[in-house]
Amino acid sequence: MFRLNRNVTLALALAVAFALNLAVQVQAAPAGDWNAVKARIESAKDYTLKYDYSSERGVLKFDYSVSLAGPRIRTEVLRGSSRNVGSVVVYDPSFAADKVRAKVGMGRITRGLDHPDVVGTPFFQPLFTMILNELKSYPTMKVAGSENVRGQQTTVYEFSGTSATEYRVWVNASHEMVRTEKKRAGKVIETRDFRQIRWNCNPKVGF
């Protein structure tokens, strides 16, 4: 049996310590970056954006604005949507905390928050907050890679839990969500694509 000299032993110890420290940093970095995404959303006073929503029911394109005080929310269905083009949905709890109002054509209607067209949507709850709440059901997070989305380099976060459903979120260098995707049993069942995000700009949230 041979012995390593003291210098070699010290060098090996330093190499092992460096490798362990690097591994800890690699594991911690995704959580730290994701915390920055949450902090940006939770510290905002308001925001506005355009986004496309795709599911088994078709494609909807929205102009979306929210003031977190309330919250008060305005959603307009844009051209290119499968249905309801031109409709505007407004949620203002000072008018009715349990209803949304919609301008459809020349008329206006109200819908309860438990209506099938309203429940589980961002018509009455801030969009990004809704997504963060959905992700609480997927406790396991990992970085699945990086991708270019509309000219932006993004980090892809993958969330999973005990069900067969997976949730992916694409985040740009400004810690903004630019895309989400939900899969069930390997099949994509829902996507959202976000663009033209503006923060703290006092957007219009009424009709």
Side-chain angles (χ1 to χ4, degrees), residues 177-195:
M177 297 184 191
V178 296
R179 176 179 292 167
T180 66
E181 178 188 85
K182 193 182 293 185
K183 283 184 176 181
R184 183 175 295 132
K187 179 184 178 182
V188 176
I189 58 172
E190 177 186 275
T191 63
R192 295 186 183 93
D193 278 281
F194 312 119
R195 60 191 186 280

Side-chain angles (χ1 to χ4, degrees), residues 21-37:
N21 183 57
L22 182 61
V24 169
Q25 290 180 16
V26 169
Q27 291 176 358
D33 290 345
W34 181 250
N35 286 337
V37 176

Side-chain angles (χ1 to χ4, degrees), residues 121-172:
T121 72
F123 291 154
F124 67 96
Q125 53 187 326
L127 172 62
F128 292 134
T129 303
M130 185 189 78
I131 293 171
L132 291 181
N133 288 335
E134 288 180 348
L135 290 172
K136 292 177 182 178
S137 300
Y138 303 84
T140 303
M141 181 189 75
K142 70 177 183 180
V143 173
S146 61
E147 291 183 18
N148 189 289
V149 177
R150 297 186 301 276
Q152 301 178 82
Q153 194 63 25
T154 66
T155 300
V156 185
Y157 293 89
E158 187 175 284
F159 298 82
S160 59
T162 56
S163 70
T165 306
E166 294 180 353
Y167 213 126
R168 284 192 168 199
V169 182
W170 284 253
V171 174
N172 66 15

Side-chain angles (χ1 to χ4, degrees), residues 10 16-17 28 30 63 66 69 81 91 96 99 105 113 120-121 126 142-143 150-151 159 161:
L10 180 60
V16 170
D63 187 335
V66 56
S81 298
Y91 177 67
K99 294 181 178 67
L113 302 188
T121 72
K142 70 177 183 180
V143 173
R150 297 186 301 276
F159 298 82

Side-chain angles (χ1 to χ4, degrees), residues 58 88 109 111:
V88 177
I109 59 175
R111 289 286 186 263

